[in-house]
Amino acid sequence: DTATSQRGEQGSTRDAATRERTKDGERTADSAGRIEAESRVAQKEQENTESQGEKPNIPKTEEAALRDALIDKLREAGIDVITDVEEAQRVLDEANGKGVSFFRTADGNAYGFTVGGKIYIDPRIATADTPIHEYAHLWASAMQKLNPKEWENIVKLMKGTPIWEEVKRNYPELTTDNEIADEVLAFYSGSRGAERLREEHAKILKGNGNVVEKVKAINAIKRVREALKHFWKNVADWFGIHFTTAEEVADKVLSDLLNGVNPTLAGIED
């Protein structure tokens, strides 16, 4: 992310990006063949590392614990999250057979992607950004479907971020403002959300050295969720909402994730 690049040693990880489009180039929210595998803008650094024979960064224990706690939150919300690497590869291979364009790192790994409303994450290399990033795509699809007028506003807000031009440069296959805004929101939400969680996690680490990593990560999520409640009291509010800044949008994405909102069920009556 630059805002998209991850901090510290997470900065060199890069999600693979894969997309299937309709004839006019628009991505469909509910297509079973839809794939959105995300690429980190730090691809250049990652490729340089790999060309020198070094292995991609593997998340530290603290980062992995935070990522896994986020995955648990997604699953609790009823979102399918697949961490089986072989299954994910089968999905990618099958999609490739249908003519989908792939955008991967030099080593060919996909750090995270979504297809058919499911999220696929490679637990060997994915960081805390990845679950938030992929969730943001599901969230964006729901917003576009349920409140297209507010989505237009979100597109304008995303255009005002420094990430917009960076995503356009790194993703020339994204040809519409909707596509670019979707990707910008995912990068921005993943980067901003993960950083907030890491900061809270770091505070807990200082004061609770003997607590197991999973408990620390869960406590960090609880603290951030409570902090966000001061601004977003109503969860799953797709209609009576209006954003004024890109930060508000990213924080709402994180708030909904932490509060168990499943965007794939948005608009479906019980």
Side-chain angles (χ1 to χ4, degrees), residues 155-168:
V155 171
K156 293 178 183 177
L157 293 174
M158 293 303 114
K159 280 185 175 181
T161 68
I163 314 174
W164 184 271
E165 292 301 322
E166 190 167 358
V167 167
K168 284 180 66 176

Side-chain angles (χ1 to χ4, degrees), residues 68-230:
D68 291 345
L70 287 167
I71 290 175
D72 287 344
K73 292 299 297 183
L74 293 172
R75 286 172 171 161
E76 288 169 11
I79 299 172
D80 288 331
V81 182
I82 292 84
T83 55
D84 185 303
V85 177
E86 292 185 0
E87 182 178 350
Q89 188 60 54
R90 283 196 297 270
V91 171
L92 290 175
D93 291 342
E94 180 181 347
N96 193 36
K98 295 179 181 179
V100 181
S101 298
F102 285 84
F103 301 89
R104 300 181 178 182
T105 55
D107 61 1
N109 285 323
Y111 291 76
F113 64 91
T114 67
V115 57
K118 297 180 180 180
I119 293 177
Y120 293 79
I121 291 175
D122 188 338
R124 301 170 302 178
I125 49 181
T127 62
D129 294 50
T130 309
I132 306 172
H133 188 122
E134 303 308 333
Y135 178 84
H137 280 300
L138 301 181
W139 190 96
S141 292
M143 181 61 75
Q144 291 180 64
K145 178 175 64 176
L146 297 174
N147 195 342
K149 183 176 180 180
E150 184 55 32
W151 174 253
E152 290 179 7
N153 177 51
I154 291 173
V155 171
K156 293 178 183 177
L157 293 174
M158 293 303 114
K159 280 185 175 181
T161 68
I163 314 174
W164 184 271
E165 292 301 322
E166 190 167 358
V167 167
K168 284 180 66 176
R169 287 195 303 271
N170 286 279
Y171 299 96
E173 75 280 2
L174 303 181
T175 58
T176 70
D177 282 355
N178 279 347
E179 290 177 331
I180 298 168
D182 190 322
E183 197 64 45
V184 170
L185 176 59
F187 275 125
Y188 197 50
S189 299
S191 175
R192 180 179 172 85
E195 191 58 31
R196 290 190 69 161
L197 290 166
R198 289 184 190 120
E199 288 174 357
E200 202 59 52
H201 196 202
K203 294 176 185 176
I204 293 173
L205 290 175
K206 289 181 179 179
N208 298 277
N210 296 323
V211 180
V212 295
E213 291 300 334
K214 185 173 183 178
V215 173
K216 296 174 188 175
I218 292 172
N219 288 339
I221 286 175
K222 287 180 178 178
R223 288 189 184 184
V224 173
R225 184 180 63 195
E226 290 303 311
L228 289 171
K229 281 184 178 179
H230 292 292

